Amino acid sequence: MFFDISSTRRRRIRPVCAAALALGLAAVTGCSSDSGGDDTVKVGLVASLSGTYEPVGTELRAGFELYLNTHDHKLGGRKAELVVADEGDGPPTAVPAATKLVKKDKVDVLTGLVSGGSVNAVLPLVNQAKIPFLGSNARPPVKDLEYVWTTSFLSDEPGKAIAPYVKKKVDGPVYAIGPDYQGGYDELRGFTKEFKRVGGKLANPGGKTTWTPFPKTTNFMPYFADIAKTDAKAVYSFYAGKAAIDFAKQYAQSDVADLPLYTAFVTEGSVLQAQGAAAKNIYSVLNYAADLDNEANRKFAADWTAEHDTQPTTYAMASYDAASVLDKAIANAAKKGDVTPQTINKAIADLGQIDSPRGAWEFGEKAHSPVQSWYLRQVRPDGAQLANVMVQDLATLGS
């Protein structure tokens, strides 16, 4: 059957029953015809709920749900229906998941996506449907940005932010290592390009990053043995989810355990508790730290801890911010007339500064990604547990 996606989006957002709020894996159905008829905004969230990045995707979902739970399950004054689908490990599962949300569930907005490869694969669907996509994790460069927004960051920014600091602190070459897929390429490119620009040298043979097969690499010991044969004085890496647990625990037991480890995301999220003492002293670069002292973060952290009994993470924060952006944009669209996917998209473009747990930020006109601060963190004891403690500001990036 052929779906004319764009034509289904020209009308106003449809009325459904006020009880139609879904926070699980499928939409609530069976609304009675004599319900209140309040306009409802339908949001589709695609995230990795299985596979290597399950810890990341789970927190993306939890962050969006937290915003709804603490804002009367409304966005812009309208009931919000959240329909969630599993991204899995990348495009082969992300595309059918997003397609179902857009074509069958007919969502008005799409959000989430853990993998940069998934983003690129899903964008043709977004552009055809003419609905806003509000990504809440790493995003690669995108040419057609009309309906594309990101509340997290561009994939090369973490490495770019920390590279000058590493060059200043490390007296000698640095070994770069990461996973062999789109997100890994972007993350490591950000570091290596900036590191070389500021005069740094890579310890890798030939001066090129070492790639580990994704997602099948679980034994990193042979790679650490190779690092030990070089003149590396430190290591820079990017891993997340289950791969980050294996990487950190094995690093602490390897021949290079004494080398300073600088990372993006290796200790972020629930993986830190699984890594335990092996994560102690690891440095990381991120756009958020749970101990940032501002009013928005105090509320966010308190609400998160009350529900989850753990520290909030950048994954949850970026998804929470995606809901916050939609809340403001939908309200602004309603003030000017009909609320449709297109008017929501226009309202996002006009938002200006966003008050966020990470600190104030705004969408850059060039990349539709946050202009924001980046922080250096280190895993240190925080009471009885280890935590990613903010050390200092590193840079402000975004365009």
Side-chain angles (χ1 to χ4, degrees):
M1 179 177 180
F2 174 75
F3 292 83
D4 182 2
I5 305 174
S6 60
S7 67
T8 67
R9 306 293 167 193
R10 296 189 186 110
R11 67 185 187 278
R12 295 178 61 225
I13 287 175
R14 59 207 159 280
V16 297
C17 74
L21 174 66
L23 294 177
L25 294 179
V28 170
T29 58
C31 298
S32 63
S33 59
D34 59 350
S35 64
D38 292 335
D39 281 347
T40 295
V41 178
K42 200 167 187 179
V43 180
L45 187 150
V46 189
S48 298
L49 304 177
S50 63
T52 302
Y53 288 151
E54 179 182 356
V56 178
T58 299
E59 297 206 1
L60 291 186
R61 179 177 65 181
F64 202 100
E65 290 176 345
L66 178 66
Y67 191 92
L68 293 180
N69 292 343
T70 54
H71 289 79
D72 197 28
H73 301 293
K74 292 182 178 180
L75 295 174
R78 297 167 182 243
K79 287 292 181 181
E81 180 180 351
L82 184 65
V83 191
V84 183
D86 186 8
E87 175 186 352
D89 268 331
T93 43
V95 171
T99 300
K100 175 184 177 296
L101 291 178
V102 173
K103 292 185 176 182
K104 183 176 179 180
D105 297 309
K106 294 182 171 58
V107 298
D108 304 295
V109 179
L110 199 64
T111 188
L113 290 182
V114 173
S115 164
S118 295
V119 172
N120 275 333
V122 167
L123 287 189
L125 176 71
V126 169
N127 290 329
Q128 183 191 5
K130 300 186 187 306
I131 64 173
F133 165 62
L134 202 57
S136 51
N137 201 45
R139 198 199 82 198
V142 172
K143 290 183 178 180
D144 187 354
L145 287 165
E146 183 177 2
Y147 292 100
V148 179
W149 307 89
T150 300
T151 60
S152 50
F153 53 89
L154 297 184
S155 301
D156 63 352
E157 290 179 333
K160 185 177 180 180
I162 198 174
Y165 177 87
V166 175
K167 172 62 174 65
K168 181 180 178 181
K169 292 294 183 178
V170 178
D171 184 19
V174 173
Y175 197 97
I177 182 171
D180 186 12
Y181 78 109
Q182 182 65 55
Y185 303 150
D186 293 338
E187 294 281 353
L188 269 296
R189 183 186 69 248
F191 174 79
T192 57
K193 185 176 179 180
E194 182 67 8
F195 189 60
K196 291 176 182 178
R197 189 191 71 80
V198 297
K201 178 184 176 183
L202 293 183
N204 304 64
K208 295 182 179 180
T209 300
T210 296
W211 302 110
T212 60
F214 176 85
K216 65 182 181 180
T217 302
T218 58
N219 180 15
F220 292 94
M221 284 302 193
Y223 296 97
F224 298 145
D226 288 341
I227 297 174
K229 297 173 185 176
T230 71
D231 58 349
K233 301 301 180 185
V235 174
Y236 179 80
S237 69
F238 157 73
Y239 289 97
K242 295 175 182 176
I245 298 174
D246 293 332
F247 186 88
K249 294 183 79 168
Q250 292 171 31
Y251 191 94
Q253 300 171 356
S254 73
D255 292 339
V256 295
D258 291 336
L259 294 183
L261 178 56
Y262 298 91
T263 74
F265 301 98
V266 168
T267 61
E268 181 66 0
S270 59
V271 298
L272 179 58
Q273 304 311 317
Q275 290 161 349
K280 190 174 181 180
N281 295 324
I282 293 178
Y283 287 97
S284 61
V285 53
L286 217 54
N287 59 345
Y288 175 71
D291 57 346
L292 288 175
D293 188 16
N294 63 66
E295 184 176 352
N297 190 46
R298 286 192 291 272
K299 181 182 187 312
F300 169 65
D303 289 342
W304 176 270
T305 302
E307 284 200 17
H308 299 280
D309 197 29
T310 61
Q311 281 196 329
T313 67
T314 191
Y315 311 123
M317 179 277 296
S319 196
Y320 180 92
D321 271 8
S324 175
V325 165
L326 287 175
D327 192 6
K328 295 174 178 61
I330 292 167
N332 290 346
K335 292 176 184 176
K336 296 182 178 181
D338 288 349
V339 176
T340 68
Q342 290 75 34
T343 62
I344 294 172
N345 193 65
K346 177 63 168 61
I348 293 173
D350 295 336
L351 277 181
Q353 194 170 85
I354 309 296
D355 187 26
S356 165
R358 79 188 83 175
W361 63 272
E362 60 184 329
F363 287 113
E365 292 184 6
K366 182 178 179 182
H368 287 188
S369 64
V371 179
Q372 63 187 332
S373 296
W374 288 87
Y375 308 102
L376 178 72
R377 302 127 30 107
Q378 188 180 32
V379 177
R380 299 174 179 175
D382 180 21
Q385 292 186 327
L386 292 174
N388 290 293
V389 177
M390 209 276 275
V391 177
Q392 68 175 68
D393 290 6
L394 288 173
T396 298
L397 300 177
S399 60

